[in-house]
Amino acid sequence: MYLDPGFGSMLIQGIVAALAAGGAYLILMRKKIAAFFQNRKAVKNAEENQQNDAETEK
Amino acid sequence: MKEQSSFRDPSGHVFYEDGVVYRQVNDCYRAQFAALMESGLYEKLTAEGLLVAHRNVEQTNPEAAGYCVIAPERVPFITYPYEWSFSQLKDAALTTLRIHRAALDYGMILKDASAYNIQFVRNNAKLIDTLSFEFYKEGSAWIAYGQFCRHFVAPLLLMKHVDLRLQQLLRVYIDGVPLDLASKLLKSKHDALTTQHIHWHAKAIARHMTDGRSTGAQRRVQISKFSHIALIESLARMIERLTLDGVKTEWMDYYDHTNYTQQALARKEDILAQMLKAGDARSVWDLGANDGRFSRIALENGAEIAVAFDIDPLAVEQNYLAGKRSGENIVPLLFDLTNPSPGIGFGNTERVPAERRMQPDCIIAFAIIHHLAISNNLPLGKIAEWLAGLSPELIIEFVPKEDSQVQTLLATRDDVFPDYTQDGFERAFGAYFDIAHKEPIAGSGRTIYRLERRAQA
């Protein structure tokens, strides 16, 4: 490596990277939670549709 | 001939032979170069237009430490960050981050983040330094982070939050704006980007500046790959959101406030097109180009490249954004003609004046002569001599003293310009040029000349 990265720059990078990672983790979790509820909603809708279909057939 | 600015990185260097640009790859960089080429990273980056493509060259007598020589795609006109508009600097920053982010997926990194490594080809920001890649070591921090903040984050924030003109600090500080200076100038700003990457960063640098004296072995900071990627992506998101909303400059709506009619403007464009056809210029410099209107006429009339110089940062910004949308070969350039980009860096040769980067076939100088001669007190003879030194052909508009724009310039000062007349203009330029064509712009009192430099000039 021909650049001098500077210890101060490296140190602060460790801190801001940790903050960014925290943020990225939260975003990831939010997406997972949203996906979980979306899946549940999709399953529920499918069940309701099946029930409606069954009632119509009767 | 070796490129003067190509000396920092021992991985290789740039040289020229018969006008062709070559890059020598040194033996010590063999493994990294092979990894770039064989991992699929080179294909990805060139396909996305983020890195200049190159071809391998069999020849060329690489020096002792040479491993191979490549011939990169030529950048038509090299520009420097202090000549870019806000969005150019922003796009160059984003290109740097995208390349580093992509490299991480291939087990590599960008080992430097110099704004000078980014160049614009048809207004697309590309990395030109093919030797900027290094292997990623698990847990390592980004070695170029400090440089990235000095070259990109600090000037972008200073331009947005303090004043567009502070970008010119890049002309003073060749390795980017010192972060302690940026932090002082931005002291009232506390958004996440400024706080983390400027204020905290500057404090950390100050605190550890003298570590070399007291600590023996180099200390390392460990950052997981997840955090490393999160940092790069968060930087990219924050930079993406930076805009110039609300910033105004003197010239930004110039064409709404000119003193000639739509017919006179259309006539001016016709005369220019006709004169360009007569001259057959391939490369054109448009001085005082504003948003590039006349540069585009040059491109429509046979020019292959038009470099559009203007002193107003927002005019250059508009020109860049339009060029980016259209993909035209127009090079918008922030430039003060009365104090042009000098040679800077070691030996004043690392970054060179514009005329050392290209010699144009033709210069267009519309609505500029009165600014040079009257606002800047430049004698017409000096202007003629300067332009004759730059280009063999000149398409220039003479704006007479009676013109309302000139009257505005003279309103607040003494008229100490007895030679500023049409005759005086023809005499001054006649010392260096022959008049090939002269055409008055009906309804404006102005005249356009096509001048050809005399052989002895």
Side-chain angles (χ1 to χ4, degrees):
Chain A
M1 298 291 181
Y2 75 100
L3 278 189
D4 176 3
F7 185 68
S9 284
M10 288 303 205
L11 198 71
I12 201 67
Q13 190 184 156
I15 295 168
V16 294
L19 287 176
Y25 185 72
L26 285 179
I27 293 170
L28 207 69
M29 290 315 288
R30 205 166 61 193
K31 275 187 188 160
K32 275 191 179 165
I33 293 167
F36 173 75
F37 282 111
Q38 259 169 5
N39 281 344
R40 268 181 55 152
K41 204 173 159 188
V43 171
K44 205 174 160 191
N45 284 346
E47 281 171 2
E48 272 174 14
N49 286 343
Q50 263 182 357
Q51 213 172 18
N52 287 344
D53 288 348
E55 279 171 13
T56 325
E57 275 172 25
K58 278 181 199 170
Chain B
M1 182 187 67
K2 195 169 169 180
E3 162 62 45
Q4 290 291 327
S5 64
S6 188
F7 62 84
R8 285 197 172 79
D9 186 357
S11 308
H13 68 263
V14 171
F15 63 97
Y16 305 96
E17 240 175 54
D18 301 326
V20 181
V21 185
Y22 297 99
R23 195 180 281 278
Q24 175 174 302
V25 185
N26 287 345
D27 253 339
C28 65
Y29 194 71
R30 182 191 292 249
Q32 292 90 332
F33 186 67
L36 168 72
M37 298 311 295
E38 288 156 20
S39 63
L41 178 58
Y42 171 82
E43 275 76 23
K44 180 185 166 65
L45 295 177
T46 48
E48 289 180 11
L50 295 170
L51 171 67
V52 290
H54 66 253
R55 60 188 170 80
N56 289 319
V57 181
E58 286 298 327
Q59 89 30 270
T60 64
N61 186 24
E63 285 173 23
Y67 158 55
C68 68
V69 171
I70 57 174
E73 167 195 352
R74 180 136 207 179
V75 176
F77 186 86
I78 295 286
T79 56
Y80 302 136
Y82 43 87
E83 299 167 340
W84 296 345
S85 74
F86 180 83
S87 289
Q88 285 180 283
L89 190 60
K90 176 176 159 178
D91 286 349
L94 291 171
T95 293
T96 303
L97 292 175
R98 280 180 196 131
I99 293 171
H100 179 58
R101 174 67 192 86
L104 284 167
D105 286 340
Y106 290 81
M108 299 195 90
I109 59 157
L110 253 192
K111 67 179 178 184
D112 43 29
S114 164
Y116 295 92
N117 279 351
I118 303 291
Q119 289 296 325
F120 291 87
V121 179
R122 291 184 177 269
N123 296 297
N124 280 310
K126 286 175 185 239
L127 177 72
I128 57 164
D129 185 0
T130 316
L131 313 189
S132 275
F133 297 88
E134 187 54 66
F135 292 117
Y136 170 68
K137 286 193 192 84
E138 196 60 46
S140 65
W142 187 25
I143 192 166
Y145 169 71
Q147 192 180 36
F148 182 82
C149 291
R150 291 192 304 275
H151 281 234
F152 295 107
V153 181
L156 282 170
L157 288 170
L158 289 169
M159 287 167 86
K160 177 179 169 59
H161 293 308
V162 187
D163 196 298
L164 274 178
R165 291 168 292 187
L166 284 178
Q167 165 203 29
Q168 292 305 308
L169 285 173
L170 289 171
R171 185 159 135 175
V172 182
Y173 298 104
I174 198 167
D175 197 23
V177 181
L179 296 184
D180 60 324
L181 175 58
S183 180
K184 263 187 204 166
L185 293 167
L186 287 161
K187 63 173 182 266
S188 61
K189 291 291 157 192
H190 300 288
D191 56 283
L193 186 58
T194 316
T195 303
Q196 296 177 10
H197 301 286
I198 303 294
H199 296 320
W200 293 358
H201 197 163
K203 275 190 191 139
I205 290 172
R207 190 167 299 162
H208 296 279
M209 198 177 281
T210 53
D211 280 10
R213 288 185 212 151
S214 50
T215 0
Q218 262 192 337
R219 285 182 287 170
R220 298 251 171 243
V221 173
Q222 289 285 309
I223 297 179
S224 72
K225 195 169 183 182
F226 181 81
S227 302
H228 192 136
I229 289 172
L231 169 68
I232 301 309
E233 291 183 347
S234 109
L235 262 174
R237 270 196 308 275
M238 288 193 274
I239 290 173
E240 188 89 59
R241 282 199 293 265
L242 290 179
T243 59
L244 281 185
D245 293 345
V247 178
K248 288 196 172 79
T249 60
E250 183 185 1
W251 299 91
M252 57 186 291
D253 47 5
Y254 174 69
Y255 289 114
D256 298 335
H257 296 104
T258 50
N259 61 354
Y260 33 79
T261 59
Q262 280 303 315
Q263 283 112 314
L265 186 60
R267 182 75 194 114
K268 198 167 162 177
E269 292 177 354
D270 285 346
I271 297 170
L272 174 63
Q274 183 193 333
M275 287 183 172
L276 283 161
K277 279 180 195 145
D280 197 33
R282 298 276 148 235
S283 55
V284 167
W285 281 10
D286 181 3
L287 308 184
N290 200 273
D291 63 5
R293 176 185 293 243
F294 298 116
S295 305
R296 290 185 169 80
I297 291 175
L299 292 173
E300 286 158 17
N301 287 279
E304 287 160 5
I305 178 168
V307 184
F309 298 72
D310 203 274
I311 196 171
D312 187 275
L314 286 190
V316 180
E317 173 84 351
Q318 279 181 13
N319 194 4
Y320 168 67
L321 295 174
K324 192 176 159 185
R325 282 191 295 271
S326 67
E328 296 154 302
N329 203 6
I330 192 166
V331 183
L333 211 64
L334 181 69
F335 211 85
D336 179 356
L337 295 171
T338 63
N339 181 22
S341 300
I344 63 167
F346 184 72
N348 292 101
T349 54
E350 280 187 69
R351 314 294 164 213
V352 296
E355 65 270 22
R356 293 269 307 277
R357 295 174 247 164
M358 174 198 269
Q359 274 142 14
D361 297 331
C362 175
I363 285 181
I364 301 169
F366 278 8
I368 188 88
I369 187 101
H370 52 306
H371 291 292
L372 297 174
I374 292 174
S375 306
N376 204 54
N377 290 41
L378 266 167
L380 288 171
K382 266 186 112 57
I383 302 173
E385 182 189 11
W386 166 63
L387 290 169
L390 293 176
S391 170
E393 190 189 345
L394 179 60
I395 301 176
I396 185 166
E397 177 180 27
F398 179 73
V399 185
K401 225 180 241 180
E402 301 72 41
D403 190 282
S404 65
Q405 299 282 5
V406 182
Q407 285 300 312
T408 308
L409 297 180
L410 286 170
T412 51
R413 60 177 301 172
D414 289 337
D415 180 356
V416 291
F417 311 100
D419 297 332
Y420 189 84
T421 61
Q422 189 136 0
D423 280 348
F425 171 85
E426 289 187 11
R427 252 195 327 274
F429 280 77
Y432 302 93
F433 295 92
D434 290 323
I435 299 177
H437 194 136
K438 173 179 170 181
E439 189 85 37
I441 313 169
S444 78
R446 302 176 173 200
T447 307
I448 296 179
Y449 292 83
R450 189 168 83 78
L451 304 175
E452 288 174 354
R453 187 172 60 196
R454 274 203 296 280
Q456 70 270 27

